[in-house]
Structure formats: C-alpha cells, structure tokens
Amino acid sequence: MAILLDGAERANTLAGLSGWQDAEGRNAIQKTYTFANFNGAFGFMTRVALKAEAIDHHPEWSNVYNQVDVTLTTHDAGGVTEKDVILARFMDSASHDG
C-alpha cells in the first residue's frame, strides 16, 4: 500500500507542483488545465489515460470543451501519496505536448 504524505511532505510537494492545490474538504490535490480547443483537451486526456493504465493509478477528472478538471488521491491509502505526485508531474508535462 502507498504511504500517505504527511503535512510537511505534502506542503513541500505542492510547492513544487505548478498550479496544484489542496482539494477542499478532501485528502486530495486538484488542478484545472485549459487548452486551445477540445482536441487539445482530448489529446491530453488520451496521453494521461495511457500513463494511468501503465502505472495503475487513475485520476478523477471531467472535461468540458477545452477544460479538464483533475483531482488526484490514492483511494486505497485514503489520501495523497507519491503515486499522485508522479501522475501530477506527468500531467503537467503532457499538458505541454501536442
């Protein structure tokens, strides 16, 4: 099982992730990505879906036209773990591809 990030680890992690913030009322982090159009948003989601399957860690997300809202938490651990950090960093990188 993944280990929860404690207060200091979590604060340091969030400080190193651009635009990610604590999800209100949850042990989770969230971010909104905005793209030029629907194709950009969908391409991003496709890249992330492939990575999520490969690492067996899946985001909670929704898409409306050019916007993708993401929440990351490790459900079986009950909160934010290194798995979420790995996926958040990948998402930030993938948001600049294509």
Side-chain angles (χ1 to χ4, degrees), residues 32-71:
T32 298
Y33 292 93
T34 303
F35 299 90
N37 52 41
F38 179 75
N39 285 340
F42 194 84
F44 165 77
M45 292 179 76
T46 301
R47 289 187 294 280
V48 172
L50 294 170
K51 177 68 170 183
E53 276 296 300
I55 65 172
D56 193 29
H57 189 61
H58 305 88
E60 298 174 20
W61 58 6
S62 64
N63 164 245
V64 176
Y65 184 59
N66 69 332
Q67 187 170 299
V68 180
D69 296 310
V70 179
T71 300

Side-chain angles (χ1 to χ4, degrees), residues 1-5 57 74-84:
M1 178 188 282
I3 299 170
L4 289 175
L5 298 180
H57 189 61
T74 304
H75 295 278
D76 61 352
V80 179
T81 69
E82 186 64 26
K83 287 181 172 184
D84 301 299

Side-chain angles (χ1 to χ4, degrees), residues 2-14 17 27 29 77 79-85:
I3 299 170
L4 289 175
L5 298 180
D6 69 20
E9 288 174 315
R10 187 178 174 133
N12 288 337
T13 296
L14 275 176
L17 294 173
N27 192 338
I29 57 175
V80 179
T81 69
E82 186 64 26
K83 287 181 172 184
D84 301 299
V85 176

Side-chain angles (χ1 to χ4, degrees), residues 10 22-28 30:
R10 187 178 174 133
D22 282 313
E24 189 174 333
R26 295 187 62 189
N27 192 338
Q30 63 186 23

